[in-house]
Structures are given as C-alpha cells and as structure tokens.
Amino acid sequence: MAKARIMDQPADYKKLGIDPKQVQTWEDGRRDNNAPGTSEVWYFDAILDDGSKAVFYFHPKSPYKLQEDGDHPDIGILITAPDGKTYGQQIIDYPAEDSHFGTEKCDVQVGPHSVVGDFKDYEIHIDPVAQVAADLHFHALVKPFRQGNKGIITMGDHDEYHYTDLSVVKNEVTGTLTYDGATHKVTGSGYHDHQWVNISPIVAWHHWLWGHLYTENYTVLIYDFVAAEQFDFTPVPFFGVMDNKTGEVVFQTDGHFTRQTELEQQPTIKKAFPKKSSYTFTNEDGSSVKFTTEWKQELEVRNMYWGASEQQRAAYDQMGIQPGYMRYFADGTLSFEKDGTSVNESGTMIYEYNYGGKEDPRAHV
C-alpha cells in the first residue's frame, strides 16, 4: 500500500524552506497554484457569547471545481442564531478577476469580501450577501500550531501528494453579524486555519474528525485523519494542547494514541457517525492526555451522496465512496497531569466529521 506520513524530518524542512522552530507570516499567504487537483482554504469560525455561532471560508478554487484549471473563487458564510436557526449560504461564486490571494501573509479578497491578517490579528469583512453580513476582528490568544512543527502530510510512494493544516486555534472575537434583518454586536472566541492540498479530500481520506476546544486554561486542537483504503486506512493524528496564559504548546502527540467511539445512525446520510469520541494520546516520553467530545447539536448536514444526481452517485460508486459531511456543536473534556497535579477541564466546541468512504470495519470510525 502507498504511504501517508507527516513531513517532520530535517530533509523535509529543507525541501520546503520551513523553519521548524518558528512560523513565519508568509506561511498564511497563498501556498499552492491553481492547477487541476489543487485546493486551498482560509477558514474561520466563532462561538459567541450571545449563543450564536458563525463559520466563514474563502477558496481560490471552489471544491466543486477542483479538477478545472485556473482559479474559481468562492466564499461560504453560515450563521447559527441563538435559537438554532441558520442563515447564509455554503458556496457563493465570484469571478477570478474580482479576487486576490496574496503570498506574503493572509491577504484574501473574493469579490467584495475579504480577510487580512498576520497570525496576530485578522479583519474579516463579508459584504451583504445571502441576507447576511459580517465585520469581525480576530485577535490571536495562542501561537500558530503546526503538527510535528510542519503540519504537512505527504501521501503516495514518492510523496507526490500533500495535505496540510496550519492553525491559530484560539482568538478573541469582536464585531458585528447581520442576519434575520438585524445587525448584532458580538463577542466571543474564534478559530482560524489555512489548508492547501493537491489531492481531493474524498480521494485522500476515508474520514476525519476535526475540532477545537476552549477550556478555562487550555486550548485544544484535534484533527483525527484516517487515510483512504489506497493509503491503507493509515491514521494520521494532529493533536495539540496550548496554555491560554502563555500561548505556548504544552503537549503535542507523537502519533501514539487510542480511540473509542459510540456510534449513532445519521438518517439523512445513512451512515453511523460517532456520537461520542474518546482519545488517549500517550507519547514515548511518558506524557499523556485524555480528550473526549460528544455532540449535542447538528449545525450542518451535507448529504453529498444520497442528495446527488443519479449520474453523480454513479461516479461516486465507481470511486468506491459515499461522501457525507456533518458539523456539530459539542461538549469537550480534557485531562492530564501537570507538575504532579491533575488537570480536568471542559468546555464547548465546534467540530466537523467529514465521512467520505463507505462504512468499513477497518477504517477506525
């Protein structure tokens, strides 16, 4: 079987021009080209003090046009009001000539919408569209996080594919959201990541669980990747714990972990998704962290297989996949030992479960 691994060796750092000890501002600029098969996204979400939630993303190339040449920009904005109603639209397309993606920092414009930032502060502007709008300021409370000091996964016998994640996991959020005919002043906590890939997620991964947890004293990032069958269902975990006071990473997995799940059938997507996921990360140096998440609200359901046309389903069948996607609002818990004292903290989180493969007992769901 072909391999999947994190690029965390000295030769990897040299090849990519990355300083393993310091994240540089240009790393949040555009990283890939616009050739067929490439994809890039700048993603932001927020859990707000009034009970609302918001998700924003900016693509140079729409996920529905990955195999086309050139840029095909879009944005997505989804707002969940305190009463649970959702507003916005997942994909809103704009001409490439009306868009810009800078290379020296996060400097993104898609039509009249934009985000600019430098790992410390970000300004998000969503012009009125799909009956929503936003003007938010994200101020980083922790340092950027790269798993294995890299955040880049390579796949294939000769590292021909790459899949990435670079995160600013906790930010203070202030500003306004407009939905349901009114503008709301909001405060809360938010997350940002930047990803760039040259392989379709539905080809690369059987599934993943991705999310972030904020507790009183710590911030957690988890990205539980499980590779597709062609990559031997290889688990490639990202997991880090950051101290809210210093912003420093206090724990990062070295890849050794166990996972237990309690499954529940999702009636629309027709597959069993984890209702509760419990992890224990234990490194070779003896350090260990336990993390659990259990969802309590479905924020988004993408019925990508059963909701597709017969022609599209036939194409998925030929690929041997049944893609479906869930986004949740959940409870999370964190526990570990620090300086001889037990740490046990909890909080709420947003997480997603992107489930592209067919149900398979080998796939660690």
Side-chain angles (χ1 to χ4, degrees):
M1 289 288 184
K3 63 185 178 182
R5 69 178 183 92
I6 294 176
M7 297 185 75
D8 58 1
Q9 301 302 307
D12 296 326
Y13 302 139
K14 182 177 180 180
K15 177 181 178 180
L16 294 169
I18 297 292
D19 182 347
K21 297 181 180 179
Q22 181 180 358
V23 181
Q24 298 170 295
T25 305
W26 65 265
E27 296 181 57
D28 209 13
R30 188 165 191 180
R31 301 293 299 277
D32 239 324
N33 57 39
N34 59 12
T38 61
S39 177
E40 197 156 358
V41 62
W42 289 262
Y43 170 93
F44 297 82
D45 69 37
I47 298 175
L48 301 162
D49 297 332
D50 66 357
S52 61
K53 298 100 182 173
V55 173
F56 311 90
Y57 39 86
F58 302 77
H59 295 114
K61 188 191 294 282
S62 168
Y64 296 103
K65 298 178 181 178
L66 294 185
Q67 299 309 316
E68 298 184 22
D69 196 13
D71 283 343
H72 300 277
D74 69 29
I75 69 159
I77 174 170
L78 296 169
I79 297 173
T80 302
D83 63 4
K85 282 188 176 182
T86 58
Y87 302 86
Q89 191 169 323
Q90 291 179 9
I91 300 294
I92 307 170
D93 297 311
Y94 289 90
E97 56 267 27
D98 294 338
S99 303
H100 167 77
F101 305 93
T103 58
E104 296 183 3
K105 64 177 183 179
C106 174
D107 180 14
V108 175
Q109 177 188 344
V110 178
H113 319 290
S114 62
V115 57
V116 178
D118 58 3
F119 288 132
K120 297 178 182 178
D121 293 280
Y122 293 85
E123 299 291 343
I124 300 172
H125 172 73
I126 303 294
D127 228 41
V129 63
Q131 299 182 329
V132 297
D135 281 288
L136 295 178
H137 177 76
F138 276 49
H139 174 67
L141 300 177
V142 296
K143 294 183 178 180
F145 178 79
R146 295 182 301 198
Q147 179 64 43
N149 297 322
K150 182 61 62 179
I152 297 178
I153 299 168
T154 59
M155 313 179 89
D157 292 324
H158 305 288
D159 294 343
E160 54 265 42
Y161 303 112
H162 60 261
Y163 206 98
T164 69
D165 184 83
L166 173 61
S167 310
V168 183
V169 186
K170 187 174 185 180
N171 300 264
E172 178 185 62
V173 179
T174 56
T176 61
L177 294 175
T178 300
Y179 59 89
D180 196 24
T183 297
H184 310 263
K185 189 174 182 179
V186 294
T187 60
S189 297
Y191 168 92
H192 161 54
D193 73 20
H194 177 198
Q195 301 179 44
W196 58 103
V197 309
N198 70 346
I199 182 172
S200 169
I202 63 175
V203 174
W205 306 111
H206 181 272
H207 68 269
W208 70 65
L209 182 154
W210 160 84
H212 48 281
L213 170 69
Y214 304 142
T215 72
E216 180 180 359
N217 295 296
Y218 297 96
T219 293
V220 177
L221 171 72
I222 183 167
Y223 221 144
D224 179 14
F225 289 105
V226 176
E229 183 176 9
Q230 67 169 316
F231 302 113
D232 204 23
F233 297 114
T234 303
V236 188
F238 287 10
F239 183 80
V241 180
M242 285 135 273
D243 188 308
N244 289 344
K245 293 180 181 178
T246 65
E248 300 288 345
V249 176
V250 297
F251 179 88
Q252 181 175 168
T253 183
D254 64 6
H256 296 86
F257 77 107
T258 61
R259 174 202 308 105
Q260 292 183 321
T261 57
E262 298 175 11
L263 304 181
E264 181 176 291
Q265 190 76 7
Q266 211 295 325
T268 302
I269 297 177
K270 302 182 183 180
K271 288 192 283 191
F273 285 68
K275 174 68 174 179
K276 182 178 182 179
S277 300
S278 301
Y279 297 84
T280 300
F281 296 90
T282 302
N283 288 350
E284 290 185 350
D285 64 7
S287 59
S288 182
V289 171
K290 293 184 178 180
F291 170 75
T292 299
T293 184
E294 183 172 4
W295 67 262
K296 58 183 182 180
Q297 181 185 7
E298 294 181 347
L299 298 180
E300 184 178 354
V301 179
R302 296 186 199 171
N303 187 18
M304 299 162 67
Y305 180 80
W306 297 106
S309 65
E310 289 187 13
Q311 182 180 8
Q312 182 62 65
R313 277 203 307 277
Y316 287 146
D317 289 340
Q318 189 172 17
M319 297 173 67
I321 60 175
Q322 290 184 343
Y325 175 95
M326 298 295 302
R327 193 187 304 273
Y328 301 103
F329 183 60
D331 292 323
T333 61
L334 173 72
S335 61
F336 61 97
E337 295 287 327
K338 182 181 180 184
D339 301 326
T341 302
S342 295
V343 173
N344 295 282
E345 298 198 5
S346 60
T348 57
M349 61 185 295
I350 290 174
Y351 83 84
E352 70 180 16
Y353 206 97
N354 190 19
Y355 196 162
K358 292 183 177 180
E359 291 184 309
D360 192 307
R362 299 171 295 169
H364 319 293
V365 171

